Amino acid sequence: LIGTQEYREFVANEKAGAERLRSMKKSAVMVQRYWRRRAARQQVKQMRMKRDAARKIQRVVRKHQYQKRQADLLIKNRGAIGFQRLWRGVQDRAYYRDYLYEELWWCRHKRYFALLVQRLWAGYVFRRRVRRLKTIAVMGKKLRHEQWIELIEQSKQAAANDESGSLKAPLRKFHMYDEYRLINTLDVNYYVHRLTSAGTWDQPQAWMEDDVRIRLELAEMLRLGYTVAERDAAIKFQRMWRMRVVRVAFKNVMKGQRLMRGGEIGYLQDPNSGVAVANFALFKHVIAHDYAHARLLYARCMEMMTMRGPDNCFVLLSYAIYLAVTQEDDWDTIELLAERGRKANFHNKHDLRADLYNLAKAGYYRLATVMSKRQGEAWHNYALCLMLAFKDYNGAQAAFIQAVLGSPGDEKVMDNFDYFLETYRPEVLADGYDAFELVRTHCVEQAKLKDEAKKARMKALDSVECHAAATTLQLHFRAAKLRTLFESKSAKALAAKPVKPIEEGRVFEDRAQLVEQGLAYWLWEQMKNEEDGRPYWYNNETGESTWEPPDDEYDILAAQDLDNVGIELSQEEDALNQILPVDIEEWEVCGDGEGRTFYYNTRTGESQWEEPLQSSNDDPTSSLMLDYGDYSVNSNQSSNQVALSPVWEECFDDEGKIFYYNLESGESSWVDPRTTKPPSPTVSLEPNESDGDSIQKKNLLIEAPPSPRDDLNDGEEGQSVSHSLVDDGAGGSSWETAEDDEGNVFYYNHETGESTYDRPDGVQVEQPPSPAHSAHDEDTVVAEEGGGEGGEGDPYADYYSPVGDWEYVEDPDGSYWYNSSNGESLWEKPEY
């Protein structure tokens, strides 16, 4: 027996042994794992090294093989090039030895011979000239009449004694001149007038020109085989002949057309006439395609021709074509009739030209292909006409193709086309073509031609020359458009003549406005010196003048002289037109003291009688937005167009007419507020106050409010008139003065819509600025009655007293007269 202690020790020993065995196994497994990992790594490393080594070897081998192939190829190419060079050399030497040597020898000797002949000719010409000059020096430049007569007799005697006959007297003749050879000389000639016997050593100019022409014609004959004159004459004759052919063809067409159009009427007027019956039968056959009626008419024509005796080509050919179209008889009969018709197709026994049936061809058959809606049948008749009457087989084949295209399902057309090919074009059938194949080939060729033409057109359009031509045309068009635009503006400027001189003080005030508005670059003006007319530049702000233009081109104001308006704009004006908005121009309404109204531009100083046309500027960089109460102005828009404010609403009445309603004041108007003229952008504005109504609204052209007499005008629209705002004494501006259609002044409240001819209580008329001040001046002082220079005891009290609606106003810079009814201002006292 084992005790408990021993058992426990035994179990502990067994556990320890088992644990030791477990540890040993675990260690062995771990060692094996590490060993296998190491062995695997070594194996992978060796395999990678083998792979890399194999790749390097393969790369080296491929490189060596490539280099070897290249070297072999280079050797082969060099050898081939060498052999080719040797072979070409052998061939060239053989060609030179057998063929080229003799040709070059002849060319070389020809050139030597030509140079020798030219040298001999130049020496002969020089010696001839020397002999002529020596002879003239010995005998004299000018001889007497008796001496010339003696020389002529001697030349004639020498020519008579010449046994060879080479010497003639005279040698040549040209118009009224004769050429003689001086005796005892080789080539010294003189020229004598045949009537006056006046002689000269110099050849006449006309004769020299004729000799030059003869030499040129001889050279042209040797070079071309004909002269230029002969070529021009041939071209002229060809042109005349083509014109004659065209005229004859056109006359035939017109005559045939008249016969065709008058065929039915002629038959109705004389149904027993053979000509009328034949024309009407052909009309029914070719034009109307009424074959049933045509059959009866042709039968009657054949009967009448049989009764008369001789064959008629018109009847025989037309009837043969009719039978071929309708296939009412066999081709033997048709060919027999056509042969008889062709033999009868002449004028008489002395004129055998086959052109009698040309009228029918041009006026009926050919015209039907253009006019008839049944194109297939028209081309079918025309093809048979060419085939049977004129034996034009090429034209007949083309006409048959058009007939098939016009009537693809007509069996008669295909049968006649096949007969034509079998009888007159057997070579086409021998090539394997039939009627259907010819039509298909024709369509394919036409498609190819259209495609090639389209490609050629697109290629031409994409070419550099086409783009350059298009660019040139565009440039010329734009230049012409700009010239036209500038000429129109120049004409308007010439028409705008100044009607009133502008005071010097007003000019300086306008310049001050430009300075305050940041437009100081308008202060330089170009003027001319009165003594010598030289141009110089003057600064209105500083008083500086200089002969040289300012450095900055934008500092120049090119003052326009209305009497000498230029044709071209200067660079300075172009630059200013691009930078400065066109809407900055400000026009004012002024009076000339005689009751007439004119318009003055505060920027340019221009004045005119007509109302100015406001222009627009499309440049987005020059956009300028100004707020004028119920109106907003955008300089990009037209200056006579105003953006609609949110307080205005567009409505429709019961009849569908459009009117405009003010949501704040309750005012309604037939006229679109956007069409009213807002203040010019050059008007200076005071800063906005809390009530938003501090803007000086002076001399503003807006839509006229309803006058007290508007109730009498049922449904009539208001008129756009000039009016000014008035002050009610409490700083408001709800009352306005306006004029009705008859020129009467009334008052209108734009908030309540009330209008009255009487001035409301507590309403004061707001005085406009003086002519010497800008729109933003606010320090105007109104002369009170009984005070200042116009007060009691003043000797000039009568001068300063009001005259009608005119009131005297004075301010620190000057005094003027103001009309409270129409807002007009003058420097001088008006006449009442």
Side-chain angles (χ1 to χ4, degrees):
L1 294 176
I2 301 174
T4 303
Q5 185 63 32
E6 293 176 355
Y7 179 74
R8 290 179 178 176
E9 289 178 2
F10 173 77
V11 172
N13 292 333
E14 289 296 331
K15 286 183 179 181
E19 186 66 27
R20 185 168 55 254
L21 293 174
R22 192 182 293 112
S23 299
M24 291 173 64
K25 182 180 179 181
K26 186 176 181 181
S27 300
V29 171
M30 185 177 297
V31 171
Q32 292 173 1
R33 185 185 297 122
Y34 282 124
W35 175 256
R36 286 195 299 270
R37 183 183 299 172
R38 180 177 178 278
R41 288 177 179 176
Q42 291 294 333
Q43 186 179 3
V44 169
K45 185 176 181 181
Q46 290 178 2
M47 292 174 64
R48 187 179 292 113
M49 291 175 62
K50 291 179 180 180
R51 183 199 63 186
D52 296 339
R55 287 179 177 177
K56 290 181 180 180
I57 293 172
Q58 292 173 0
R59 189 179 298 113
V60 172
V61 171
R62 285 196 298 267
K63 181 178 180 181
H64 176 71
Q65 291 176 351
Y66 173 76
Q67 292 176 353
K68 189 176 182 304
R69 286 196 303 270
Q70 292 295 325
D72 296 341
L73 182 61
L74 182 60
I75 293 173
K76 290 180 181 179
N77 290 337
R78 287 179 179 176
I81 293 172
F83 283 120
Q84 291 173 1
R85 187 183 297 113
L86 292 175
W87 178 249
R88 284 196 298 268
V90 171
Q91 285 184 332
D92 292 342
R93 284 190 293 273
Y95 176 74
Y96 176 78
R97 182 178 60 256
D98 298 337
Y99 304 100
L100 192 61
Y101 175 78
E102 184 178 359
E103 183 177 355
L104 292 177
W105 186 89
W106 279 107
C107 291
R108 182 167 57 252
H109 284 74
K110 286 179 182 178
R111 185 185 65 178
Y112 290 158
F113 181 74
L115 291 175
L116 179 61
V117 171
Q118 291 174 2
R119 188 179 299 112
L120 293 175
W121 174 254
Y124 166 73
V125 170
F126 176 75
R127 289 190 295 272
R128 183 181 64 180
R129 184 178 180 185
V130 170
R131 286 194 294 269
R132 180 175 176 275
L133 292 176
K134 286 182 179 180
T135 303
I136 294 174
V138 172
M139 300 187 65
K141 178 70 176 177
K142 296 182 180 180
L143 301 180
R144 296 190 304 272
H145 185 266
E146 295 80 4
Q147 294 176 336
W148 287 114
I149 296 297
E150 183 179 357
L151 292 177
I152 294 172
E153 293 297 333
Q154 293 177 359
S155 299
K156 290 183 178 180
Q157 186 65 30
N161 296 332
D162 186 16
E163 297 179 356
S164 63
S166 59
L167 184 61
K168 298 180 181 180
L171 297 176
R172 295 188 301 167
K173 293 183 179 181
F174 180 78
H175 296 323
M176 299 304 294
Y177 284 93
D178 295 336
E179 183 182 26
Y180 291 92
R181 178 70 51 79
L182 186 65
I183 60 174
N184 300 326
T185 60
L186 295 176
D187 47 15
V188 179
N189 301 333
Y190 60 93
Y191 305 88
V192 179
H193 197 274
R194 193 176 301 120
L195 295 180
T196 62
S197 298
T200 178
W201 297 103
D202 299 326
Q203 187 180 10
Q205 183 66 27
W207 202 341
M208 293 177 62
E209 294 177 356
D210 187 68
D211 289 344
V212 172
R213 179 185 61 80
I214 292 174
R215 288 196 297 270
L216 291 177
E217 289 182 355
L218 180 59
E220 292 169 357
M221 183 66 69
L222 294 175
R223 181 170 57 91
L224 302 175
Y226 54 85
T227 63
V228 176
E230 292 175 350
R231 182 197 63 187
D232 296 340
I235 293 174
K236 183 177 180 180
F237 286 134
Q238 291 172 1
R239 186 183 300 112
M240 295 173 62
W241 175 253
R242 286 194 296 268
M243 293 175 61
R244 180 186 179 279
V245 170
V246 171
R247 286 196 298 270
V248 171
F250 181 74
K251 289 181 179 178
N252 289 335
V253 170
M254 297 305 296
K255 188 175 180 180
Q257 183 180 6
R258 287 194 295 270
L259 291 176
M260 182 269 294
R261 295 185 183 277
E264 185 175 4
I265 298 177
Y267 176 74
L268 294 176
Q269 292 177 353
D270 189 4
N272 297 321
S273 173
V275 176
V277 174
N279 290 332
F280 189 53
L282 193 60
F283 174 80
K284 286 293 185 179
H285 164 204
V286 179
I287 304 299
H289 303 292
D290 187 0
Y291 299 125
H293 196 180
R295 182 185 304 106
L296 301 177
L297 294 173
Y298 277 129
R300 185 179 177 187
C301 288
M302 293 294 294
E303 181 182 356
M304 296 175 68
M305 185 187 69
T306 304
M307 294 175 61
R308 288 180 56 186
D311 290 343
N312 186 285
C313 67
F314 192 90
V315 176
L316 291 173
L317 292 176
S318 300
Y319 188 46
I321 295 170
Y322 165 77
L323 293 177
V325 169
T326 58
Q327 296 182 355
E328 295 182 0
D329 208 336
D330 55 5
W331 274 102
D332 294 335
T333 305
I334 295 172
E335 292 286 358
L336 180 60
L337 291 174
E339 183 66 22
R340 290 174 58 189
R342 286 194 298 269
K343 290 181 179 180
N345 188 19
F346 60 90
H347 292 273
N348 49 56
K349 65 179 181 179
H350 302 290
D351 189 359
L352 300 179
R353 291 177 298 172
D355 56 356
L356 287 179
Y357 205 65
N358 285 335
L359 294 177
K361 171 187 172 183
Y364 285 89
Y365 294 98
R366 188 66 180 91
L367 188 63
T369 60
V370 180
M371 298 176 53
S372 178
K373 295 182 180 180
R374 301 166 68 175
Q375 290 291 309
E377 294 187 16
W379 282 104
H380 189 197
N381 282 286
Y382 184 60
L384 293 173
C385 173
L386 296 177
M387 181 183 74
L388 298 175
F390 297 94
K391 290 187 175 182
D392 184 5
Y393 300 135
N394 293 328
Q397 180 175 335
F400 269 121
I401 292 175
Q402 295 295 331
V404 174
L405 294 176
S407 299
D410 195 341
E411 296 181 357
K412 295 181 180 180
V413 177
M414 295 298 296
D415 294 340
N416 290 336
F417 195 9
D418 291 334
Y419 174 80
F420 166 77
L421 294 177
E422 293 174 0
T423 307
Y424 301 103
R425 285 301 177 87
E427 68 277 4
V428 176
L429 295 178
D431 295 337
Y433 288 93
D434 57 358
F436 176 78
E437 189 65 23
L438 283 177
V439 174
R440 190 190 67 81
T441 305
H442 172 77
C443 294
V444 172
E445 292 177 354
Q446 292 296 321
K448 289 182 179 179
L449 291 176
K450 290 182 180 180
D451 186 60
E452 292 176 358
K454 182 178 180 181
K455 289 181 180 179
R457 184 170 62 254
M458 297 301 296
K459 184 177 180 180
L461 292 176
D462 293 339
S463 62
V464 179
E465 293 79 5
C466 183
H467 287 291
T471 303
T472 303
L473 290 176
Q474 292 172 359
L475 290 177
H476 284 294
F477 176 76
R478 292 172 185 150
K481 190 174 182 180
L482 288 175
R483 283 195 299 270
T484 304
L485 181 62
F486 181 74
E487 288 174 0
S488 62
K489 290 186 177 180
S490 300
K492 291 182 180 178
L494 287 171
K497 296 294 182 181
V499 295
K500 180 177 177 177
I502 306 302
E503 287 76 9
E504 189 172 342
R506 184 181 184 89
V507 173
F508 282 103
E509 289 294 336
D510 296 335
R511 298 298 176 186
Q513 288 186 26
L514 295 176
V515 173
E516 292 178 4
Q517 297 172 6
L519 304 177
Y521 45 76
W522 286 89
L523 297 178
W524 285 94
E525 294 186 20
Q526 183 179 2
M527 301 182 178
K528 289 185 178 180
N529 192 1
E530 297 179 356
E531 298 179 1
D532 54 2
R534 293 176 56 192
Y536 66 96
W537 280 265
Y538 172 72
N539 193 310
N540 287 280
E541 181 183 15
T542 62
E544 180 184 1
S545 59
T546 176
W547 294 105
E548 300 294 332
D551 296 334
D552 192 356
E553 62 179 357
Y554 299 119
D555 289 346
I556 301 174
L557 169 63
Q560 296 182 0
D561 186 2
L562 297 179
D563 295 332
N564 300 297
V565 177
I567 302 300
E568 297 181 356
L569 289 172
S570 62
Q571 296 181 357
E572 294 84 359
E573 291 174 330
D574 290 338
L576 290 172
N577 290 335
Q578 294 177 4
I579 293 179
L580 189 65
V582 181
D583 287 344
I584 203 169
E585 294 184 354
E586 180 181 1
W587 292 85
E588 292 184 0
V589 182
C590 305
D592 61 348
E594 299 179 2
R596 294 181 300 178
T597 302
F598 66 95
Y599 300 87
Y600 169 71
N601 193 305
T602 59
R603 177 174 64 81
T604 63
E606 182 183 358
S607 57
Q608 63 185 38
W609 294 107
E610 294 82 10
E611 182 178 357
L613 298 175
Q614 300 292 337
S615 59
S616 63
N617 189 356
D618 296 331
D619 187 4
T621 59
S622 60
S623 179
L624 178 63
M625 288 295 298
L626 302 177
D627 188 12
Y628 294 88
D630 292 343
Y631 304 94
S632 61
V633 184
N634 190 335
S635 61
N636 283 337
Q637 300 176 353
S638 177
S639 55
N640 61 357
Q641 199 172 34
V642 183
L644 188 64
S645 176
V647 300
W648 287 91
E649 183 178 2
E650 185 176 353
C651 305
F652 297 86
D653 60 359
D654 297 336
E655 299 178 0
K657 294 183 179 180
I658 300 176
F659 67 95
Y660 300 88
Y661 176 75
N662 193 308
L663 301 176
E664 295 181 0
S665 61
E667 179 185 1
S668 59
S669 173
W670 292 104
V671 182
D672 190 351
R674 289 174 291 185
T675 60
T676 60
K677 297 183 178 180
S680 173
T682 59
V683 176
S684 301
L685 305 177
E686 294 297 329
N688 293 331
E689 298 179 2
S690 60
D691 56 358
D693 199 18
S694 62
I695 298 177
Q696 302 273 349
K697 301 180 181 177
K698 301 178 181 180
N699 296 332
L700 179 64
L701 287 175
I702 64 172
E703 197 66 26
S707 65
R709 297 184 180 182
D710 284 346
D711 297 335
L712 301 177
N713 300 328
D714 297 336
E716 293 184 358
E717 298 181 356
Q719 303 294 329
S720 178
V721 298
S722 176
H723 71 285
S724 60
L725 305 179
V726 297
D727 194 0
D728 58 1
S733 58
S734 58
W735 286 95
E736 300 174 355
T737 60
E739 293 181 3
D740 58 9
D741 298 337
E742 298 178 0
N744 299 320
V745 179
F746 64 96
Y747 299 87
Y748 170 73
N749 193 316
H750 62 79
E751 292 183 358
T752 63
E754 181 182 0
S755 58
T756 177
Y757 282 102
D758 299 326
R759 179 183 297 180
D761 296 335
V763 172
Q764 300 177 0
V765 178
E766 205 170 350
Q767 301 296 341
S770 68
H773 282 72
S774 61
H776 67 278
D777 294 335
E778 296 182 357
D779 52 352
T780 303
V781 179
V782 181
E784 299 179 358
E785 298 181 1
E789 297 180 357
E792 296 180 359
D794 191 346
Y796 302 98
D798 295 336
Y799 179 82
Y800 299 118
S801 60
V803 179
D805 295 334
W806 293 90
E807 298 178 359
Y808 182 77
V809 181
E810 67 178 19
D811 58 8
D813 294 332
S815 303
Y816 61 96
W817 291 84
Y818 170 72
N819 193 319
S820 60
S821 61
N822 56 19
E824 187 179 359
S825 58
L826 297 174
W827 292 105
E828 302 296 334
K829 181 178 180 180
E831 297 180 3
Y832 187 69

